[in-house]
Amino acid sequence: MKKIFLALALVSGVMVAKAQTTAPTEKKAINGPKMEFKTSVMDYGLIEHNSDGNREFVLTNTGNAPLIISNAKGSCGCTVPTWPKAPIAPGESASIGVKYSTNRIGKFTKTITLTTNAEEKTKILTIKGEVKKPVEAPAAPAKPKSSVLEVK
């Protein structure tokens, strides 16, 4: 009898544990603005020295209230962001512009920090790439020296 009772208790315990792990998870409803970006990392790749450093991050407000971006700050003076000052309505998309100073040679990884009224109060966007060393113009050929001596 003890063995039957123990077996039943064990089986029912396993069934309860299995039911808890397979129960559908509830998705938390978003009440307020929510930012969704196509990408949060922008790879410039290998670019020319002094080339166009302007790029855009595209976001959509997937929440149910207007999204307000109160600030956008680059990690250094070489990364200058622009952002919409007007609220972004639910379902609307907007762009966060970023200009990187491509006069700096070499690899770079910089960030833009957004401050918003969304549940995720701050969002970090990243730009990366490498600016090629400028191609130096070939030196002008040296003037040939005259083999004739000038007499004054």
Side-chain angles (χ1 to χ4, degrees):
M1 185 72 164
K2 286 183 183 180
K3 288 181 182 179
I4 293 173
F5 180 69
L6 184 60
L8 286 173
L10 184 62
V11 169
S12 65
V14 169
M15 290 175 66
V16 168
K18 179 76 174 165
Q20 288 177 349
T21 59
T22 58
T25 57
E26 292 182 30
K27 194 170 185 177
K28 184 180 174 186
I30 301 297
N31 190 20
K34 182 175 183 343
M35 294 180 290
E36 283 194 20
F37 284 85
K38 286 187 178 180
T39 181
S40 61
V41 177
M42 182 73 58
D43 190 349
Y44 281 55
L46 188 61
I47 58 175
E48 297 292 327
H49 181 254
N50 287 329
S51 63
D52 181 18
N54 291 307
R55 301 291 188 277
E56 286 186 341
F57 289 93
V58 178
L59 72 93
T60 302
N61 178 2
T62 58
N64 61 5
L67 172 67
I68 299 170
I69 301 172
S70 57
N71 195 18
K73 183 172 174 67
S75 57
C76 74
C78 61
T79 307
V80 181
T82 57
W83 67 97
K85 307 301 189 263
I88 303 162
E92 283 190 1
S93 294
S95 296
I96 306 297
V98 61
K99 178 172 176 40
Y100 179 71
S101 297
T102 59
N103 61 339
R104 299 167 179 247
I105 299 166
K107 291 185 178 185
F108 64 90
T109 300
K110 304 296 179 186
T111 60
I112 298 95
T113 303
L114 302 178
T115 305
T116 72
N117 67 331
E119 185 177 39
E120 181 181 13
K121 298 291 181 201
T122 58
K123 174 70 174 174
I124 296 178
L125 305 173
T126 303
I127 61 169
K128 64 181 184 175
E130 183 176 1
V131 178
K132 294 193 299 188
K133 186 176 182 179
V135 178
E136 294 181 20
K143 291 183 180 179
K145 292 187 178 183
S146 175
S147 59
V148 178
L149 290 174
E150 292 182 23
V151 180
K152 290 186 179 185

